[in-house]
Amino acid sequence: MILSATLTLHQFGNAGAPGQAQPSWIQGLIADGDWEEEAITGNNAPLARENIGGAWVDPLADWPGWPGVPRVWDVSYAVAQAYARGEPLRLILYSADGAYHSGKYFVSSDTEDWNTEGRPLLEVWWGKPR
């Protein structure tokens, strides 16, 4: 049984000059299908099946250094659903921000070995039902 799960991304910057960036509500969603990293676009991406929540991400006033500032999403529901269905976990992170300087920059899984600590981290806690 899945007790809980979190997704941690490390933020290293944001759009705009200092003082221009705005906080962002970044939603977590379950994707409705697979995609190919090299071929995905806004026109062929899978639709979102279900919204699972979100987290506020504040802008950074200064360069935080590597690996960046950890930002955490509770993805327990999505992990439990994927496990119950026998499917891979397919997540979308999305922000509907309208402010011009609201973009946030996160370290990706493609970062070099010197920044392995900054790579996205999915932590899942298992247990027996009570």
Side-chain angles (χ1 to χ4, degrees), residues 66-121:
W66 298 111
V69 177
R71 305 296 190 186
V72 180
W73 286 263
D74 180 350
V75 294
S76 304
Y77 176 78
V79 170
Q81 289 294 309
Y83 179 73
R85 291 181 172 145
E87 298 177 350
L89 178 64
R90 299 177 184 106
L91 293 175
I92 299 168
L93 294 180
Y94 174 76
S95 176
D97 288 345
Y100 186 71
H101 297 293
S102 63
K104 306 296 182 285
Y105 306 147
F106 295 97
V107 177
S108 79
S109 60
D110 294 329
T111 193
E112 307 249 343
D113 288 344
W114 60 266
N115 193 24
T116 55
E117 183 181 348
R119 289 181 179 151
L121 175 65

Side-chain angles (χ1 to χ4, degrees), residues 5-10 25-28 52-57 70-76 93 106:
T6 58
L7 174 65
T8 302
L9 299 180
H10 286 81
W25 175 252
I26 301 180
Q27 301 172 74
I52 60 166
W56 279 104
V57 177
R71 305 296 190 186
V72 180
W73 286 263
D74 180 350
V75 294
S76 304
L93 294 180
F106 295 97

